[in-house]
Amino acid sequence: MNSGPGRAGRHVRRMIGGVALGALLATGACTTIEAGLDGLSPASSSVQAGYAATRRPITFENVQRSDPQSVIGRSQHPKILAAYGGAYSDPKLERTLATIVGKLAAETDDPNRAYRITILNSPNVNAFALPGGYVYITRGLVALANDSAEVAAVIGHEMAHITANHGIERQQREQAAEIASRVVSEVLAGEPAGQVALARGKLSLAQFSRQQELQADILGIRHIAKAGFDPFAAARFLQAMDSYAKIRTAFQAGDPELDFLASHPSAPQRIDLANRHAREYGQPGTGTTDRDRYLAGIDGMLFGDSAVEGYVREQRFYHPGLGITFEVPKGFVIDNTAEAVLASGPNDTAIRFDGVALPKTTGLVDYVNSGWIGGLDPSSIRAFKIGNLDAVSARAEGGEYVFDVTVVRVGGQVYRFLTAVQASSAGTAAGIAGKVANSFRLLSTAEKESLKPLRIRIVTASAGDSTTSLAARMVGVEGKTAMFRLLNDLDADENVKPGTRYKIVAE
């Protein structure tokens, strides 16, 4: 399964720049869990499990001020939120993670260290740490994990990076990143695309060397074992990550730069090493997994794209907030990224869709001619209608590719389709582009109201159930059986067990 648009997708990005659809309806919340503290921040005051209030609560900000590296984490925190769609708020999930973090905090080798655990509102599967005690975990990773021990292994690994002072190396990288940031900000003049680029530059600071990753593995496994968790959970989750790499787009997480695999080396040898270190604390079955409590905590959690980003349902993209939808041909995979909606298909074909504001006084032909399309052929510009909506199409050339551009006006907004094909297949560009653009339409009120986000639902297998029957209950995802096995860590020939609880994806 394709995980991105490939070379054509990169050319698509170079040809035009636009506002991410999510930015048009952006909302935000801050969900944090503070570990190693006696009190909670206002943003997480509803999270009580595992903590006892004192007369004089200690705040994360006050404790971390003594850490000379805290300025790095504090300055990058807003940028990380920007890159990952903000923070995710779910009180039940917060309580579940607070219990896990509380157990880890009780057995830390550095009791004076404070941590802020932020749940990122992203379907990408990732976790990372920044200097100063900032630890991040995405809801995509939370959905992939199968028990408390696996999440403890991930958080323990990231805590280990901080306690091992791996952030010292980052301070040198920070200086180089600041220079690059100034260049990006000057070139892109503060546009949303520039903000994303800046944030991604900062994300490179979350990457460690292979030696540091292995050291964090060892420290993390020791930490979760001391806290009473199953030490083999680390190897299990590394194996799950390997499976996830093969089915990434099923999470509608089309940007590999934001994934765990982009910042954490993954190899069979690393899984073997994790198993070997786990055996130092006992045989498989040692420690708790706390699976049932964990599954109860994630029941109802958002899965995949949020309403702010729009929804991908097989070959069609829906955005209820903007009231629009379109369809790509069979064989194409849609990636709903932070910058735009991308679709990759056969023969290195790529489609990009985004939206920009345009005054009603500016004609579409004038807009297409205004210089934002590189290699434009002015003689190809054609005005037409998509339903009752005004549209204009044109052709362009660049490098090895030919492009078909279509813009559609909806009020003060213009939506843009850019289809890229290799020059040797130029004859197919217009056909694909026309089919996609002509599928664009406005959603009815009933359609907008019927669109619901996908969520993780926990079900119990009955005596007559099978992997196939439970997978058939999933909605909104392709490859239902493969996705069911991935979410529940089931081998290719493993069946469900009556009375056991499993994750499915449903509305």
Side-chain angles (χ1 to χ4, degrees):
M1 183 176 290
N2 295 327
S3 62
R7 289 187 301 150
R10 290 192 288 275
H11 279 273
V12 165
R13 285 176 175 148
R14 294 190 189 110
M15 285 291 291
I16 63 175
V19 179
L21 293 182
L24 300 176
L25 295 173
T27 60
C30 186
T31 304
T32 58
I33 302 171
E34 296 181 12
L37 306 178
D38 293 317
L40 296 172
S41 70
S44 55
S45 58
S46 63
V47 185
Q48 299 295 334
Y51 298 91
T54 66
R55 293 180 181 177
R56 301 179 63 185
I58 304 171
T59 67
F60 171 77
E61 287 77 11
N62 287 338
V63 172
Q64 63 138 286
R65 288 186 193 281
S66 61
D67 184 346
Q69 298 183 37
S70 65
V71 64
I72 300 176
R74 191 161 58 248
S75 66
Q76 294 177 24
H77 181 69
K79 299 178 178 67
I80 295 299
L81 292 180
Y84 281 87
Y88 180 64
S89 179
D90 182 334
K92 184 171 66 169
L93 174 59
E94 292 167 32
R95 288 193 292 270
T96 300
L97 293 189
T99 301
I100 296 171
V101 174
K103 291 180 179 179
L104 291 173
E107 297 296 338
T108 179
D109 291 333
D110 188 0
N112 295 319
R113 169 77 64 181
Y115 298 94
R116 168 167 284 179
I117 315 296
T118 301
I119 308 168
L120 295 169
N121 187 23
S122 171
N124 288 83
V125 175
N126 207 350
F128 50 91
L130 294 177
Y134 291 83
V135 177
Y136 301 87
I137 182 170
T138 62
R139 60 173 170 80
L141 186 146
V142 173
L144 183 61
N146 269 287
D147 55 48
S148 295
E150 290 185 3
V151 174
V154 171
I155 295 176
H157 172 98
E158 301 306 334
M159 287 180 170
H161 279 307
I162 296 173
T163 57
N165 290 319
H166 289 163
I168 293 175
E169 224 177 74
R170 285 213 191 101
Q171 291 179 309
Q172 297 173 344
R173 290 193 234 167
E174 171 74 4
Q175 296 173 359
E178 285 301 327
I179 296 173
S181 295
R182 285 198 297 273
V183 172
V184 173
S185 62
E186 289 169 5
V187 171
L188 296 174
E191 292 181 1
Q195 297 302 317
V196 172
L198 288 173
R200 289 187 178 170
K202 296 295 185 180
L203 288 177
S204 68
L205 302 177
Q207 299 180 4
F208 295 102
S209 69
R210 179 172 178 81
Q211 181 179 358
Q212 289 174 328
E213 290 292 354
L214 294 176
Q215 183 184 5
D217 282 347
I218 296 170
L219 294 174
I221 291 169
R222 184 180 71 183
H223 192 174
I224 65 172
K226 286 176 61 180
F229 291 108
D230 175 12
F232 291 88
R236 283 203 311 276
F237 195 75
L238 287 171
Q239 185 63 60
M241 288 303 307
D242 184 61
S243 299
Y244 163 75
K246 300 168 185 173
I247 196 171
R248 176 186 284 120
T249 50
F251 275 53
Q252 299 307 337
D255 193 339
E257 293 178 28
L258 300 183
D259 275 342
F260 187 91
L261 299 176
S263 56
H264 295 73
S266 181
Q269 294 90 341
R270 189 178 175 200
I271 296 172
D272 290 341
L273 285 172
N275 274 318
R276 222 187 309 161
H277 288 300
R279 290 190 188 97
E280 296 177 10
Y281 304 96
Q283 294 303 308
T286 302
T288 63
T289 60
D290 206 15
R291 185 173 185 271
D292 285 340
R293 181 186 294 182
Y294 182 75
L295 293 181
I298 67 172
D299 190 14
M301 184 186 72
L302 187 67
F303 180 86
D305 297 325
S306 68
V308 170
E309 301 158 333
Y311 303 130
V312 176
R313 298 291 186 269
E314 298 179 348
Q315 306 305 118
R316 186 165 279 276
F317 173 76
Y318 298 89
H319 202 302
L322 299 175
I324 59 173
T325 181
F326 68 88
E327 187 176 25
V328 299
K330 287 189 178 298
F332 279 73
V333 176
I334 301 177
D335 297 333
N336 190 10
T337 75
E339 298 175 32
V341 180
L342 303 175
S344 56
N347 301 319
D348 202 20
T349 302
I351 300 167
R352 173 180 171 130
F353 173 80
D354 66 8
V356 296
L358 185 71
K360 294 181 180 180
T361 54
T362 301
L364 289 183
V365 172
D366 290 338
Y367 174 62
V368 169
N369 259 320
S370 63
W372 59 275
I373 304 174
L376 175 67
D377 175 7
S379 67
S380 68
I381 298 175
R382 179 177 68 92
F384 66 108
K385 290 276 190 179
I386 295 178
N388 62 350
L389 300 173
D390 291 330
V392 168
S393 66
R395 292 191 307 274
E397 295 183 7
E400 306 172 37
Y401 290 84
V402 294
F403 304 87
D404 191 290
V405 183
T406 300
V407 297
V408 188
R409 187 193 294 277
V410 179
Q413 188 78 11
V414 168
Y415 294 102
R416 313 186 296 189
F417 291 94
L418 180 64
T419 302
V421 301
Q422 294 188 49
S424 58
S425 304
T428 66
I432 294 173
K435 184 175 182 180
V436 174
N438 282 293
S439 74
F440 179 88
R441 63 178 176 82
L442 303 182
L443 294 170
S444 68
T445 300
E447 286 178 312
K448 288 187 284 188
E449 292 176 349
S450 69
L451 286 168
K452 306 294 182 186
L454 298 179
R455 297 186 181 276
I456 292 290
R457 302 294 183 187
I458 306 303
V459 298
T460 302
S462 63
D465 275 325
S466 66
T467 299
T468 303
S469 68
L470 289 186
R473 296 170 61 178
M474 308 231 291
V475 300
V477 297
E478 294 185 78
K480 294 181 180 181
T481 300
M483 174 57 96
F484 179 81
R485 291 188 181 280
L486 172 67
L487 284 175
N488 294 284
D489 193 26
L490 296 175
D491 294 334
D493 57 351
E494 189 175 357
N495 207 349
V496 298
K497 300 175 182 177
T500 300
R501 307 175 79 194
Y502 295 95
K503 292 178 282 183
I504 66 170
V505 177
E507 292 184 344

